[in-house]
Amino acid sequence: MMWYGKDTKELLELNKKYRELFGVYPYGHMELEYGADEYEEYVNDIKKAIRIGKPLIDFVE
């Protein structure tokens, strides 16, 4: 996945949690792409992945 926006403290924390669960950072999924204007969607998708225990590529289209 490509992330084209800024990194915030919240996003850095979520990246760390995601990596601990799935062994890769969320931006490591090259099949997915989020633009800088999609910050909320990106963060919400990472939170959902952590909550349901499934990587982004399993539910994001």
Side-chain angles (χ1 to χ4, degrees), residues 27-60:
Y27 51 80
H29 302 294
M30 300 309 286
E31 304 87 355
L32 304 173
E33 190 170 306
Y34 290 85
D37 61 336
E38 297 175 295
Y39 176 83
E40 289 299 321
E41 181 180 352
Y42 182 46
V43 167
N44 287 334
D45 285 348
I46 296 171
K47 287 179 180 178
K48 180 178 178 180
I50 292 168
R51 185 178 70 251
I52 67 174
K54 292 185 177 185
L56 292 169
I57 57 172
D58 283 356
F59 66 89
V60 173

Side-chain angles (χ1 to χ4, degrees), residues 16-33:
K16 183 179 175 182
K17 289 178 185 177
Y18 189 95
R19 185 173 188 279
E20 289 171 359
L21 281 173
F22 305 113
V24 296
Y25 289 105
Y27 51 80
H29 302 294
M30 300 309 286
E31 304 87 355
L32 304 173
E33 190 170 306

Side-chain angles (χ1 to χ4, degrees), residues 3-24:
W3 166 239
Y4 297 106
K6 65 180 180 172
D7 288 333
T8 63
K9 184 177 179 178
E10 176 187 34
L11 185 53
L12 294 173
E13 290 291 323
L14 289 169
N15 285 340
K16 183 179 175 182
K17 289 178 185 177
Y18 189 95
R19 185 173 188 279
E20 289 171 359
L21 281 173
F22 305 113
V24 296

